[in-house]
Amino acid sequence: MTKIYREDKTPFTGMTVEGMQEVLDYNFHFIRKGDSLYFELPSTFKIDIRSFKQLSQLHIADREYYEMYDHAFSDDVFQIKFRDNATTSNSKNTIMEFSRISKEEFEEDINKEIARQKEVRAKINTLKNQLSTAPQIILHQVEKLPVKNQVIQDDKGNPITLEIPRGIELKVSGHVKTQQFGPIKIGTFTTNAKIYDLVHPQKNYGLNQLTIWLSTDPADFDLAGYKLESPDRVIFKEDANSVTGYELDYDPKDGKAIIRSVFCLKYKKVGQTHVFIYADVYRSQFSGNFDRMAEMNEILNFNYQLSENITIK
């Protein structure tokens, strides 16, 4: 059994609740043998306890702002301690706690998870096939907007020249953000990154709005490979340097595959700098008695129109 709690027992609030639940959803199951941990879930891998220093070693989504500082076994419990630097709460020290279960419970849980994953994959594949014949994305015709030149800088101070729509402003992001494009990690706490938000004079869709992500990471990025790297990513429209599509997921509450989000991405490498113009409109941001896909399409088209009117020089 796994649980996560603040060291001082204060409750999680806001977006932190979702972040912690996301970690729990990995459903960690492992066996300790000597100085090694052998994981069966979320995938099969091994960790040497002596070199266990970062949460990314657990094969969870990379979170630069989760700073692991200790781990220890005590009786039938294994604790991992980390600081949640993304929270504005005074309480940052967080404990992920694993409790020992029997061999029979372990094997039963593994078999249940394997069966569940097969069922989930089948439902997601069915949705993918449905979207190929009945797409839910509706892209409007691009309106050509008057543009202006705008110079921004990467984290090394190198200039990047863009053409952007007049009236739009670019500001270094004040949000805690993280994103991965293939092997390229870009985030608020990543040293080789810089992030710019697009500010529209009339509309503000918050974190769903188009963002420019810059990285001087020496790794290579391949747009063709990006399109194929995730089995839950479905491309609706693509050009030489851009893609638009869906990210699919599974809703355990309703027991069905869903469109988790819709996204648009434009990419170009300028010198040694990777430039990504990207927006991902998440389903989870919406609630109420209205058509979520219509709302997602509205924001997707806003981002898509802006992206199509931005040129990376």
Side-chain angles (χ1 to χ4, degrees):
M1 184 178 72
T2 310
K3 57 183 177 180
I4 298 181
Y5 55 91
R6 291 287 194 230
E7 192 171 44
D8 66 359
K9 301 299 193 296
T10 54
F12 296 124
T13 58
M15 294 297 290
T16 302
V17 179
E18 292 184 15
M20 297 304 164
Q21 184 59 51
E22 182 179 307
V23 174
L24 285 177
D25 287 343
Y26 283 93
N27 194 18
F28 298 99
H29 278 65
F30 62 91
I31 299 170
R32 181 186 182 184
K33 294 180 181 178
D35 289 327
S36 297
L37 304 178
Y38 294 85
F39 282 77
E40 293 294 331
L41 291 175
S43 58
T44 304
F45 59 95
K46 172 188 171 184
I47 292 178
D48 185 331
I49 298 173
R50 294 164 297 186
S51 60
F52 185 26
K53 304 294 183 184
Q54 298 176 332
L55 289 189
S56 59
Q57 291 173 260
L58 289 174
H59 288 210
I60 64 176
D62 185 58
R63 295 290 185 271
E64 302 286 346
Y65 41 81
Y66 290 166
E67 179 188 356
M68 180 174 156
Y69 63 90
D70 195 15
H71 60 76
F73 278 93
S74 176
D75 298 325
D76 290 337
V77 170
F78 178 51
Q79 291 185 338
I80 298 174
K81 299 182 179 182
F82 63 96
R83 295 182 183 88
D84 176 14
N85 293 319
T87 183
T88 56
S89 169
N90 292 328
S91 176
K92 297 183 184 297
N93 287 359
T94 309
I95 298 175
M96 189 186 328
E97 185 174 284
F98 305 90
S99 298
R100 185 194 297 266
I101 60 176
S102 68
K103 179 181 178 181
E104 292 74 21
E105 289 175 306
F106 184 90
E107 292 176 348
E108 182 181 357
D109 285 353
I110 297 298
N111 289 333
K112 284 182 178 178
E113 182 61 21
I114 291 173
R116 189 195 72 85
Q117 289 179 1
K118 287 182 178 178
E119 180 184 1
V120 168
R121 177 49 49 199
K123 290 183 177 181
I124 289 178
N125 286 340
T126 297
L127 177 57
K128 289 174 71 171
N129 292 333
Q130 291 172 350
L131 291 174
S132 66
T133 56
Q136 296 190 37
I137 288 177
I138 303 172
L139 288 181
H140 303 156
Q141 185 174 350
V142 176
E143 177 187 355
K144 194 65 178 176
L145 302 175
V147 296
K148 63 180 180 180
N149 284 337
Q150 178 81 44
V151 178
I152 57 178
Q153 293 183 334
D154 64 19
D155 63 291
K156 304 294 191 299
N158 300 313
I160 307 293
T161 302
L162 307 171
E163 278 187 354
I164 66 172
R166 293 178 190 171
I168 300 297
E169 300 297 331
L170 301 181
K171 293 185 178 180
V172 175
S173 182
H175 298 288
V176 174
K177 291 186 175 184
T178 185
Q179 189 63 49
Q180 184 156 348
F181 303 97
I184 311 296
K185 299 175 183 177
I186 308 179
T188 305
F189 299 101
T190 303
T191 56
N192 59 1
K194 201 164 185 181
I195 307 170
Y196 287 85
D197 291 329
L198 271 77
V199 182
H200 190 279
Q202 283 86 38
K203 295 184 179 181
N204 179 14
Y205 292 115
L207 295 178
N208 287 325
Q209 199 148 305
L210 201 66
T211 301
I212 297 178
W213 305 74
L214 304 178
S215 174
T216 53
D217 191 309
D220 292 327
F221 176 78
D222 175 53
L223 188 61
Y226 174 84
K227 292 185 292 186
L228 301 174
E229 71 179 7
S230 171
D232 299 333
R233 182 175 296 138
V234 180
I235 304 304
F236 172 76
K237 182 180 184 297
E238 58 184 306
D239 296 309
N241 67 338
S242 64
V243 291
T244 302
Y246 315 85
E247 294 284 355
L248 305 185
D249 204 347
Y250 181 77
D251 185 346
K253 182 180 177 181
D254 294 333
K256 64 180 182 179
I258 60 170
I259 297 171
R260 177 173 63 89
S261 66
V262 290
F263 71 92
C264 58
L265 168 66
K266 179 181 286 188
Y267 169 77
K268 185 176 182 180
K269 191 170 185 181
V270 180
Q272 300 303 309
T273 306
H274 302 280
V275 183
F276 302 89
I277 300 174
Y278 178 76
D280 203 355
V281 186
Y282 279 80
R283 179 178 189 268
S284 61
Q285 299 297 317
F286 310 122
S287 61
N289 298 319
F290 54 81
D291 186 339
R292 284 181 171 177
M293 200 61 219
E295 180 95 0
M296 293 174 77
N297 264 308
E298 175 188 328
I299 305 176
L300 173 64
N301 271 282
F302 169 81
N303 290 321
Y304 177 74
Q305 292 282 332
L306 287 182
S307 177
E308 290 296 293
N309 276 279
I310 296 175
T311 303
I312 307 169
K313 295 297 189 94

